[in-house]
Amino acid sequence: FADGTFDAVLMTEVLEHLIDYPRSLEEIVRVLKPEGRAVITTPSRLSPLNAAFHWKARRRRYAFHEHVTELSPGEFLEAMRRGFRDVELSFANFLVPYPLDVLAEKVVSHRAARALKWMERTCQRLPLVQRAGWTMIATAKGPRR
């Protein structure tokens, strides 16, 4: 695509599977219009759910780990700020990892699903818990030129 082609770019749960994730971010910056918006998500290496996943993988002796890159919130912010403007970071999936949170809404009672959503939203607002979400969500304007 030509430079400055897109008004918006959404990249969700991809960075962790890329060896050269900075190059992919550079490419998004290149194809994004100056006032375009980017929304990029990736798991947090520091999340308790990520630690639980690694524990399970060791316990079950998984042959490989599909995440070749795992970033901390600070590393993710730094990578985003290299090319984008007005980067904001938020978090999701504190209690149940995606897509299990969506599946839970289909298999548990309506009351239990509402309670789970309430707990997730509460975690997003609590300063001491905010950065513990497994999914990091960066929103940004770009590019920084």
Side-chain angles (χ1 to χ4, degrees):
F1 297 99
D3 294 358
T5 299
F6 295 100
D7 293 314
V9 174
L10 171 65
M11 179 188 228
T12 181
E13 304 303 308
V14 174
L15 286 183
E16 64 273 15
H17 302 284
L18 303 175
I19 294 169
D20 190 6
Y21 75 89
R23 179 70 188 111
S24 65
L25 293 177
E26 290 168 7
E27 185 65 8
I28 293 170
V29 167
R30 186 186 69 74
V31 298
L32 198 59
K33 290 180 179 177
E35 290 306 313
R37 304 285 270 158
V39 177
I40 301 171
T41 72
T42 192
S44 171
R45 177 171 44 87
L46 303 181
S47 165
L49 283 177
N50 198 52
F53 176 79
H54 281 282
W55 177 82
K56 179 181 83 171
R58 283 191 304 276
R59 189 109 168 104
R60 292 185 178 173
R61 302 182 202 285
Y62 288 173
F64 71 97
H65 183 31
E66 70 272 15
H67 292 177
V68 296
T69 299
E70 290 186 339
L71 302 173
S72 71
E75 292 165 337
F76 188 36
L77 267 174
E78 181 182 322
M80 290 293 296
R81 287 178 175 156
R82 280 189 206 116
F84 297 97
R85 296 177 290 115
D86 302 331
V87 178
E88 294 181 14
L89 188 60
S90 60
F91 297 82
N93 302 109
F94 298 87
L95 306 171
V96 181
Y98 174 84
L100 294 180
D101 59 336
V102 176
L103 293 173
E105 293 176 12
K106 308 291 185 213
V107 297
V108 301
S109 72
H110 178 68
R111 187 176 189 175
R114 277 188 22 222
L116 181 59
K117 281 184 179 182
W118 178 85
M119 289 187 292
E120 281 284 330
R121 284 193 306 271
T122 300
C123 288
Q124 284 179 313
R125 290 190 296 265
L126 294 173
L128 293 174
V129 180
Q130 281 178 344
R131 297 177 75 85
W134 197 359
T135 303
M136 299 185 289
I137 306 160
T139 58
K141 290 180 184 174
R144 180 184 294 282
R145 292 185 185 172

